[in-house]
Amino acid sequence: QVQLVQSGAEVKKPGASVKVSCKASGYTFTSYDINWVRQATGQGLEWMGWMNPNSGNTGYAQKFQGRVTMTRNTSISTAYMELSSLRSEDTAVYYCAKDGPPNWFDPWGQGTLVTVSS
Amino acid sequence: QSALTQPASVSGSPGQSITISCTGTSSDVGGYNYVSWYQQHPGKAPKLMIYDVSNRPSGVSNRFSGSKSGNTASLTISGLQAEDEADYYCSSYTSSSSYVFGTGTKVTVL
């Protein structure tokens, strides 16, 4: 079955960077975009951007432009999301999600908690 | 891009029907038939319930249905069951080639 498995929880200091991985299985990794969505504790969902695993092309939400980088390693069917210059407001659960395709997100990874604290 | 507007909470008794609204603009909900809905139980990842306004993925109960009129999309849950108690989010494609989520609605089964 189609599955996305994410890396484990991270604790980072303000100003640092974090890189979250998302390993895909059960389908052809290069055939569907991967999106990243985050959710602060008790808050709603926030779309961060997309990456095309075949071309490497990306599209980022304006809010994260300049701070987020989405990449992939096709040999291991894994997508990555790196967020830099972390601040406390970046504390959230980060999800990867496969494109529908397109225009919807299914399935989702299990989520990765990133905590930013001094 | 501002979040789509949803009611903070909706409640109903078992067996009743409830409807959750999702209001955007002509640049998102009103401009495209690319509205999707997600169910999220506490501590879990979101699950796709409706895509392209009114389509149900296989495995999703036919008690869930979606529609759209103008800049407002709606999710209806009929025959409300205890297991439907969760948070629900809408999402839409936008004219900026991006996506935007709704503010989220907590559904309570009384």
Side-chain angles (χ1 to χ4, degrees):
Chain A
Q1 75 283 18
V2 176
Q3 193 174 10
L4 300 175
V5 178
Q6 298 182 222
S7 50
E10 303 260 15
V11 179
K12 295 292 183 181
K13 292 195 183 302
S17 297
V18 68
K19 191 171 186 177
V20 179
S21 69
C22 171
K23 183 171 177 59
S25 62
Y27 72 100
T28 302
F29 176 63
T30 50
S31 294
Y32 302 95
D33 292 353
I34 292 286
N35 290 264
W36 290 89
V37 176
R38 77 177 186 180
Q39 184 174 37
T41 303
Q43 302 300 308
L45 301 172
E46 182 175 32
W47 182 79
M48 300 180 68
W50 61 269
M51 181 204 59
N52 182 298
N54 184 47
S55 64
N57 288 345
T58 56
Y60 304 140
Q62 191 169 7
K63 175 177 179 176
F64 300 102
Q65 292 269 6
R67 272 211 310 146
V68 70
T69 304
M70 296 177 187
T71 57
R72 87 289 191 211
N73 182 335
T74 56
S75 67
I76 56 172
S77 299
T78 299
Y80 303 93
M81 186 284 299
E82 184 170 22
L83 189 62
S84 62
S85 302
L86 290 170
R87 34 208 188 230
S88 59
E89 310 90 87
D90 294 318
T91 294
V93 175
Y94 289 76
Y95 293 101
C96 60
K98 172 182 162 292
D99 234 23
N103 304 316
W104 66 88
F105 313 121
D106 180 56
W108 296 56
Q110 84 276 19
T112 296
L113 175 62
V114 175
T115 303
V116 183
S117 175
S118 54
Chain B
Q1 186 75 44
S2 298
L4 307 175
T5 301
Q6 298 180 230
S9 63
V10 173
S11 62
S13 299
Q16 286 187 329
S17 293
I18 61 170
T19 296
I20 302 168
S21 60
C22 169
T23 301
T25 69
S26 57
S27 296
D28 38 65
V29 175
Y32 307 91
N33 287 324
Y34 296 144
V35 175
S36 51
W37 289 90
Y38 303 87
Q39 176 192 66
Q40 186 180 35
H41 287 108
K44 299 295 187 181
K47 174 188 174 185
L48 176 70
M49 304 302 285
I50 295 286
Y51 66 94
D52 289 354
V53 175
S54 59
N55 294 289
R56 235 181 358 262
S58 67
V60 171
S61 171
N62 59 10
R63 298 184 298 104
F64 291 84
S65 62
S67 63
K68 191 186 86 166
S69 177
N71 296 338
T72 299
S74 299
L75 174 72
T76 297
I77 309 174
S78 58
L80 199 61
Q81 298 181 359
E83 68 210 47
D84 301 331
E85 187 160 293
D87 293 328
Y88 291 82
Y89 294 91
C90 60
S91 175
S92 175
Y93 181 73
T94 83
S95 59
S96 304
S97 299
S98 64
Y99 293 92
V100 62
F101 283 96
T103 50
T105 298
K106 181 177 180 60
V107 169
T108 301
V109 181
L110 301 172

